[in-house]
Amino acid sequence: MPFLPLVDVFGDEVVLELFSEAALVEHWLEFERALAAAQAELGIIPAGAAEAIAAEATADRVDLGLLREQTRVVGYPILPLLEQLRRGCASEVGGYLHWGATTQDVMDTGLALTLARAFDRIETLLVDLGGAVAAKAEEHRGTIMTGRTHAQPAVPITFGGKLAVWLAELARHLDRVRSAREGVAFVQLFG
């Protein structure tokens, strides 16, 4: 993994993993498995094909180094990904994997899955931080401190009150994160 100074110091390991090569490949394959399951449910592909795809379209079957190398040749990763999966898999996998989908469908939906999970993580962190700030606000609701206005001392306030203002802003951030998540968490299937 490359040295990323800001990520290494301030980053979140969970989010970093969500944006890793391995996770991105898994999200693409999650799309392929879900597509096959939905198509089987609708009678578009045989149920046995969907079961084979669910069992065999897995990230552990993908050589990331080879995928990277072949992506440089082709210009996009999905064709080399599918070729790797089709080699050595059941014929149902080769015959029905990626049925009716485009490269753009897979890549865009994989990115939507990644972003949705990153927003889930951010939401979890905001909720945890909000809980901690709320507890401190309650604990310090009577702790007097100097208020400030225009960088000058002002009327006394409580530290708990100051923390309550921060908590209100965290709640607004949480609303924005939830709204943004809803805006990106879409499956695409139209090329």
Side-chain angles (χ1 to χ4, degrees):
M1 171 161 303
F3 174 62
L4 304 167
L6 293 177
V7 172
D8 291 342
V9 174
F10 301 108
D12 180 76
E13 292 297 321
V14 174
V15 173
L16 189 59
E17 176 55 33
L18 284 171
F19 285 92
S20 70
E21 281 181 312
L24 187 54
V25 167
E26 177 53 37
H27 295 158
W28 293 336
L29 296 177
E30 186 177 338
F31 168 87
E32 295 289 358
R33 293 188 302 266
L35 175 64
Q39 289 171 329
E41 186 176 315
L42 295 170
I44 297 169
I45 69 170
E51 291 167 7
I53 290 168
E56 297 187 44
T58 58
D60 62 319
R61 298 180 64 98
V62 177
D63 178 336
L64 293 177
L66 181 60
L67 179 61
R68 211 175 304 116
E69 179 183 309
Q70 291 174 329
T71 297
R72 285 189 197 101
V73 172
V74 177
Y76 56 91
I78 303 306
L79 178 63
L81 174 70
L82 296 172
E83 288 173 348
Q84 276 194 47
L85 290 172
R86 286 181 174 129
R87 271 185 247 128
C89 285
S91 62
E92 293 92 356
V93 173
Y96 291 102
L97 180 66
H98 198 68
W99 189 265
T102 68
T103 292
Q104 201 66 45
D105 295 333
V106 178
M107 293 180 70
D108 286 354
T109 304
L111 180 57
L113 289 169
T114 301
L115 292 173
R117 290 175 182 147
F119 278 121
D120 289 344
R121 174 64 177 164
I122 293 167
E123 180 177 341
T124 297
L125 293 172
L126 281 171
V127 167
D128 290 350
L129 179 59
V133 170
K136 287 294 180 188
E138 179 63 30
E139 178 185 337
H140 291 284
R141 60 192 242 165
T143 304
I144 304 297
M145 66 176 278
T146 303
R148 312 276 310 167
T149 183
H150 301 289
Q152 299 295 316
V155 220
I157 62 171
T158 65
F159 183 51
K162 180 128 185 120
L163 290 172
V165 171
W166 295 350
L167 186 59
E169 183 59 29
L170 284 174
R172 288 190 293 278
H173 286 316
L174 187 57
D175 288 342
R176 287 188 281 270
V177 164
R178 288 174 175 159
S179 177
R181 185 194 187 284
E182 289 176 17
V184 300
F186 283 95
V187 172
Q188 175 176 300
L189 190 59
F190 57 82

